[in-house]
Amino acid sequence: MAVTDEAIEKIKDMIVSGALRPGERLPKESELAAELGLSRNSLREAVRALSLIRILDVRQGDGTYVTSLDPQLLLEAMSFVVDFHRDDTVLEFLAVRRILEPAATAMAASRISEQQLGALEAQLDALGAEPSVEELVACDLEFHRGIVQSSGNSVLCSLLDGLSGPTTRARIWRGLTQEDAVARTLREHRAILAALRDRDAEAARSWATVHIASVEQWLRSSL
């Protein structure tokens, strides 16, 4: 394992230093192994590990390339890891989301387009007044994703995408056990949308905080 770790570090150093750039093809396995002073087997294991976390892209019959290193691509690995959370840590994920998402919502207030606002409103209208819990949760995820994307910060968007997974079950559970959860969620969505239409960053931030904190407060009392 230590040899593979060394191989990973050496490839990482080549990328960080600029010796290998995004989209660039790695040298042939035999040449790269000799250049880095590694066995071909340890190099192969390192390439496999780095491809799993989207640093490298192995193309059969073509070679191995450095990916675009786009934040959204790299942070997909975080989503995979986050899925293994324990139920007793879901409050910690919600707490992080409560810090980040209101900030992203406030940023979106000055950047979101009229077209994007219209799409969010159409999404809420299509949901109706009495959606199923599953429909509400799916809409909730898309609603907030659309707002965060409008913040213009791809890293923030990717981080929040990764954090949404653990909270999904909490939202479903809440909808099944708390009678006014669906109506409250719909009201809060409309309030967030109204603040965005008014270009009121602080109101948008406040409503997003209330929205996430209500789930967090309910879950804390239920655990």
Side-chain angles (χ1 to χ4, degrees):
M1 192 63 193
V3 177
T4 302
D5 286 345
E6 180 187 0
I8 289 171
E9 283 299 316
K10 288 185 174 181
I11 296 173
K12 174 187 169 184
D13 288 344
M14 291 182 72
I15 296 171
V16 172
S17 69
L20 284 172
R21 298 182 179 280
E24 190 172 333
R25 182 177 176 174
L26 271 66
K28 291 181 179 179
E29 185 181 89
S30 57
E31 296 174 3
L32 186 59
E35 179 184 342
L36 297 179
L38 301 167
S39 70
R40 293 179 68 172
N41 186 58
S42 62
L43 177 61
R44 204 171 293 129
E45 289 298 318
V47 167
R48 186 177 293 114
L50 290 170
S51 68
L52 287 173
I53 57 173
R54 306 301 183 91
I55 302 295
L56 298 178
D57 179 19
V58 180
R59 305 176 189 174
Q60 291 298 327
D62 186 18
T64 299
Y65 292 78
V66 180
T67 67
S68 65
L69 302 180
D70 181 79
Q72 189 168 2
L73 184 69
L74 298 179
L75 288 168
E76 281 181 11
M78 186 188 76
S79 300
F80 179 80
V81 173
V82 164
D83 283 340
F84 290 95
H85 81 287
R86 302 188 314 273
D87 285 346
D88 60 355
T89 62
V90 71
L91 278 170
E92 295 181 14
F93 285 105
L94 276 168
V96 175
R97 187 175 160 226
R98 181 160 50 86
I99 294 168
L100 297 178
E101 192 161 311
T105 305
M107 289 168 64
S110 62
R111 301 180 183 186
I112 194 167
S113 69
E114 289 298 324
Q115 183 179 3
Q116 289 168 319
L117 286 168
L120 292 174
E121 186 168 16
Q123 188 182 70
L124 295 181
D125 289 343
L127 191 62
E130 296 182 0
S132 68
V133 174
E134 290 76 14
E135 289 171 336
L136 181 67
V137 169
C139 177
D140 189 55
L141 288 168
E142 287 306 311
F143 181 79
H144 292 291
R145 182 179 289 119
I147 292 171
V148 173
Q149 285 174 344
S150 298
S151 73
N153 189 311
S154 60
V155 174
L156 192 53
C157 187
S158 298
L159 282 170
L160 284 165
D161 252 358
L163 289 169
S164 291
T167 65
T168 301
R169 278 192 298 169
R171 285 197 291 262
I172 291 175
W173 184 21
R174 179 176 182 240
L176 291 172
T177 59
Q178 192 175 38
E179 289 183 3
D180 66 338
V182 171
R184 181 186 298 178
T185 297
L186 294 174
R187 287 196 303 270
E188 290 167 355
H189 280 179
R190 292 287 183 186
I192 292 169
L193 181 57
L196 291 173
R197 278 204 179 281
D198 291 340
R199 307 293 176 180
D200 189 333
E202 288 312 308
R205 185 197 306 273
S206 297
W207 276 114
T209 302
V210 166
H211 182 56
I212 299 164
S214 66
V215 178
E216 189 179 358
Q217 183 180 27
W218 168 82
L219 185 58
R220 183 175 285 108
S221 68
S222 302
L223 290 178

